[in-house]
């Protein structure tokens, strides 16, 4: 369907006629003279019967006004299914995340390196979701608000540095900040993925209190505890039990998840963390009301091009007349 974006500008079409009319009315004895306009001669060829050939300028004005009104072609309506969640990730950046008890490709790495590898990929797969990122340690810090720009959020995750927000673990602060960022979101499916390797040791907000507020706001929390299993190592005194995850408060994390309708996961290595995010990936998004759009194709460049060609043609006529006039003068 053809239409003008600014059709009211078409009222400018008769403007040159109005200017000529009022100019002639004010000077009844003096005709309007436009010496620079190209002209053509009538069949008699006499100078008194020369007529101004203003049709190139008339068409040029018509094309300019039409181009200004911005003509466009509107295509058929097309539906866009809107699916997705409001998903916030809260990642622990406390000092304990530097412990090297994780393994990637037969190489021991610290916990944060593992999180960067797996979570960054998880973020980029959230097509249709608005994803935000929170870091917490002594307190919580919003690194990225809810956005569809998954590449930027993933980049922020890759740039995470230990000690950025302290050395302790404020789980309650991380949940509380996420709830504040969810306040303005209308999506009924709000998900918080909380990833930590310790227990709450900082902040004024208690984790279970924050979980209660999350339950009231309809925010579902999935908690992930990071840390390798306990193992025995040989010493001079015999076998000694080593538990890298002794500080992990699984009981609180399980309670938070259960209270909000989420689930608790335990990440002991790279494969288990990847499996956790594969499981989270199966969360069914809420399909929102479909939006429709009609593709638009601008056509203003066509009349604009015609106006340009007409202006060149008018200049050509004018130059030809000047040349003819000079030859007659010399003769």
């Amino acid at each position: 369907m053809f239409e003008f974006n600014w059709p009211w500008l078409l009222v400018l079409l008769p403007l040159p006629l109005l200017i000529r009319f009022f100019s002639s009315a004010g000077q009844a004895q003096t005709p309007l003279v436009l010496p620079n306009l190209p002209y053509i001669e009538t069949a008699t060829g006499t100078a008194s019967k020369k007529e101004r050939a203003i049709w190139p300028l008339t068409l040029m004005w018509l094309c300019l006004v039409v181009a200004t009104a911005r003509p466009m072609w509107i295509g058929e309506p097309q539906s866009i299914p809107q699916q997705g969640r409001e998903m916030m990730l809260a990642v622990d950046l406390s000092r304990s995340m530097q412990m090297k008890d994780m393994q990637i490709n037969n190489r021991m790495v610290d916990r944060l390196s593992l999180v960067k590898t797996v979570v960054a990929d998880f973020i980029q797969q959230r097509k249709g979701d608005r994803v935000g990122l929170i870091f917490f340690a002594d307190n919580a810090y919003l690194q990225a608000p809810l956005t569809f720009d998954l590449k930027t959020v993933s980049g922020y995750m890759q740039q995470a540095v230990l000690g950025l927000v302290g050395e302790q673990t404020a789980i309650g602060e991380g949940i509380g900040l996420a709830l504040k960022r969810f306040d303005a979101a209308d999506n009924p499916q709000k998900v918080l993925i909380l990833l930590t390797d310790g227990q709450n040791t900082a902040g004024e907000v208690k984790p279970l209190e924050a979980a209660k507020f999350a339950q009231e706001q309809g925010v579902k929390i999935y908690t992930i505890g990071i840390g390798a299993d306990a193992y025995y190592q040989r010493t001079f005194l015999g076998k000694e039990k080593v538990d890298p995850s002794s500080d992990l408060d699984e009981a609180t994390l399980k309670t938070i998840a259960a209270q909000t309708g989420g689930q608790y996961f335990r990440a002991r290595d790279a494969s288990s963390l990847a499996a956790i995010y594969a499981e989270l990936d199966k969360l069914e998004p809420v399909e929102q009301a479909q939006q429709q759009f009609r593709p638009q194709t601008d056509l203003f460049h066509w009349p604009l091009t015609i106006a340009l060609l007409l202006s060149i043609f008018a200049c050509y006529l004018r130059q030809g007349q000047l040349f003819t006039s000079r030859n007659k003068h010399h003769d």
Side-chain angles (χ1 to χ4, degrees):
M1 181 178 66
F2 177 82
E3 67 178 38
F4 291 98
N5 195 29
W6 301 311
W8 55 271
L9 289 174
L10 295 177
V11 300
L12 298 175
L13 285 174
L15 183 60
L17 294 177
L18 294 176
I19 294 176
R20 182 170 184 175
F21 173 78
F22 286 110
S23 298
S24 300
Q27 299 179 359
Q29 302 300 324
T30 305
L32 179 65
V33 179
L34 300 175
N36 292 326
L37 293 180
Y39 62 86
I40 59 175
E41 294 184 357
T42 60
T44 61
T46 60
S48 60
K49 294 185 177 181
K50 291 179 180 178
E51 297 179 354
R52 300 288 180 180
I54 62 172
W55 61 268
L57 297 180
T58 301
L59 290 178
M60 184 172 65
W61 174 256
L62 173 65
C63 292
L64 288 175
V65 173
V66 170
T68 304
R70 194 181 174 186
M72 58 178 55
W73 180 263
I74 308 298
E76 294 298 324
Q78 299 182 16
S79 298
I80 306 177
Q82 296 292 317
Q83 294 184 345
R85 296 156 291 213
E86 304 289 349
M87 179 176 290
M88 189 72 73
L89 287 92
V91 180
D92 187 354
L93 289 186
S94 61
R95 181 174 53 184
S96 57
M97 289 290 287
Q98 67 184 355
M99 182 176 295
K100 292 186 176 182
D101 61 343
M102 298 288 108
Q103 188 173 4
I104 300 179
N105 298 327
N106 298 322
R107 181 172 58 91
M108 299 303 296
V109 299
D110 60 76
R111 295 170 178 176
L112 180 58
S113 296
L114 173 66
V115 171
K116 287 182 178 182
T117 301
V118 179
V119 176
D121 292 338
F122 173 77
I123 292 173
Q124 293 188 11
Q125 295 173 6
R126 304 277 57 76
K127 305 299 182 183
D129 289 349
R130 287 210 309 160
V131 179
L133 182 62
I134 290 175
F135 294 142
F136 66 91
D138 291 352
N139 45 55
Y141 175 77
L142 179 66
Q143 183 67 16
L146 290 167
T147 177
F148 289 109
D149 189 357
L150 304 181
K151 184 177 180 180
T152 297
V153 179
S154 179
Y156 284 149
M157 184 66 247
Q158 292 286 4
Q159 297 169 10
V161 178
L162 292 175
L164 181 65
V165 285
E167 297 184 350
Q168 301 186 65
T169 308
I171 296 176
E173 296 285 345
I175 298 175
L177 180 57
L179 297 181
K180 291 180 180 179
R181 304 309 302 183
F182 278 130
D183 282 344
D186 296 329
N187 194 320
Q189 189 164 349
K190 305 172 185 178
V191 177
L192 170 61
I193 300 177
L194 178 72
L195 192 147
T196 182
D197 68 342
Q199 56 185 316
N200 193 75
T201 57
E204 299 180 359
V205 181
K206 302 300 181 183
L208 295 182
E209 293 178 358
K212 182 179 179 181
F213 291 135
Q215 181 184 18
E216 295 174 353
Q217 295 184 20
V219 177
K220 185 183 296 185
I221 303 178
Y222 290 87
T223 55
I224 302 175
I226 296 181
D229 286 329
Y231 62 92
Y232 290 91
Q233 66 178 8
R234 294 181 179 275
T235 64
F236 292 107
L237 301 177
K239 290 184 178 181
E240 180 182 358
K241 183 178 181 180
V242 178
D243 188 2
S245 305
S246 58
D247 293 334
L248 181 61
D249 188 358
E250 290 191 285
T252 298
L253 295 179
K254 290 178 181 179
T255 302
I256 292 173
Q259 187 172 351
T260 59
Q263 188 175 348
Y264 170 72
F265 301 94
R266 175 69 184 276
R268 296 175 173 84
D269 49 34
S271 59
S272 61
L273 183 58
I276 290 170
Y277 281 108
E279 183 66 24
L280 290 173
D281 189 37
K282 297 178 182 178
L283 289 171
E284 292 294 333
V286 175
E287 184 170 352
Q288 302 173 352
Q290 288 190 346
Q291 297 181 355
Q292 286 190 338
F293 84 102
R294 302 184 71 174
Q296 301 179 355
T297 304
D298 282 315
L299 303 175
F300 70 90
H301 54 278
W302 291 108
L304 198 60
T305 302
I306 295 174
L308 177 61
L309 295 176
L310 288 172
S311 66
I312 296 174
F313 178 65
C315 291
Y316 172 76
L317 289 179
R318 176 60 181 166
Q319 292 297 325
Q321 292 166 10
L322 290 176
F323 180 77
T324 303
S325 176
R326 288 173 183 174
N327 287 340
K328 289 181 178 179
H329 177 73
H330 289 304
D331 292 341

